[in-house]
Amino acid sequence: MRPTTLSSLAVVTTLASALLGAVPASAETAAPGKNGWVPAPTPSFDYPAGARCDFPIHTEPIVDEVVKKVLVARPDESPSKIAFRGDLVVRVTNTDTGASYNADAGGSAIVDIHTDHSQLWHVVGPVLVGVGENNGNLPRGEYRIDGVYTLAISSTGYRTLNMFNGSTDDVCSRIG
């Protein structure tokens, strides 16, 4: 992680203000369908040994109250900027041993979706991010990332984490 600088603090403050302003925290405005917010269910995934961890894993949401709102759409109505928020807890299980970890992944994000299908996530709070071998600036793994950061996902799926302030937690080590 880079040392904090005044410009980093300005970015953090601006990003946090933008997210908190664009993503209301009150239960009343967060109700699905109210003010354009709709459910954004998180799917379960299975990964074989070596894809994320040295062993096979299964991820499954056990609390999923995530909602999304399209902030900007293109002329063809495809979204180019989406806000996400809501409680999310994902159980990550080592399917060889049954060991599991419940990861709080309920951060708030504004996601820019580009026409080449690449994405730029502006995030405050925790999310769960998987990285394949040689497919990101983090080593292969399943991570709970928390703080204020951006996550760029290229059109090929390469993940680049730019942490302004926060931490990464290697979930594979918790259940291995």
Side-chain angles (χ1 to χ4, degrees):
M1 182 167 56
R2 296 180 301 172
T4 303
T5 64
L6 289 178
S7 62
S8 293
L9 289 175
V11 169
V12 168
T13 303
T14 302
L15 180 58
S17 296
L19 281 171
L20 295 175
V23 185
S26 75
E28 181 180 343
T29 58
K34 182 152 182 153
N35 297 323
W37 291 96
V38 296
T42 302
S44 298
F45 290 100
D46 289 290
Y47 296 101
R52 297 288 190 261
C53 305
D54 291 336
F55 43 84
I57 64 170
H58 174 75
T59 67
E60 179 175 2
I62 56 174
V63 173
D64 191 350
E65 297 174 4
V66 177
V67 291
K68 68 181 179 179
K69 180 178 185 177
V70 175
L71 301 175
V72 179
R74 293 184 182 83
D76 68 359
E77 297 185 16
S78 65
S80 65
K81 187 178 296 283
I82 304 174
F84 291 89
R85 64 178 259 9
D87 292 338
L88 177 62
V89 177
V90 178
R91 178 168 293 145
V92 183
T93 303
N94 175 333
T95 58
D96 279 348
T97 67
S100 65
Y101 173 70
N102 294 337
D104 174 3
S108 296
I110 295 178
V111 181
D112 296 316
I113 301 171
H114 305 286
T115 55
D116 67 354
H117 303 289
S118 63
Q119 301 176 6
L120 180 60
W121 289 65
H122 307 271
V123 186
V124 173
V127 297
L128 195 62
V129 176
V131 179
E133 188 71 38
N134 299 315
N135 204 28
N137 66 342
L138 291 172
R140 173 180 57 96
E142 190 75 17
Y143 297 93
R144 180 183 174 273
I145 303 172
D146 195 2
V148 178
Y149 52 95
T150 61
L151 179 67
I153 304 173
S154 75
S155 59
T156 62
Y158 189 90
R159 287 146 168 76
T160 304
L161 174 66
N162 185 13
M163 182 72 70
F164 296 106
N165 186 9
S167 62
T168 59
D169 181 15
D170 178 6
V171 176
C172 296
S173 68
R174 289 182 171 273
I175 61 175

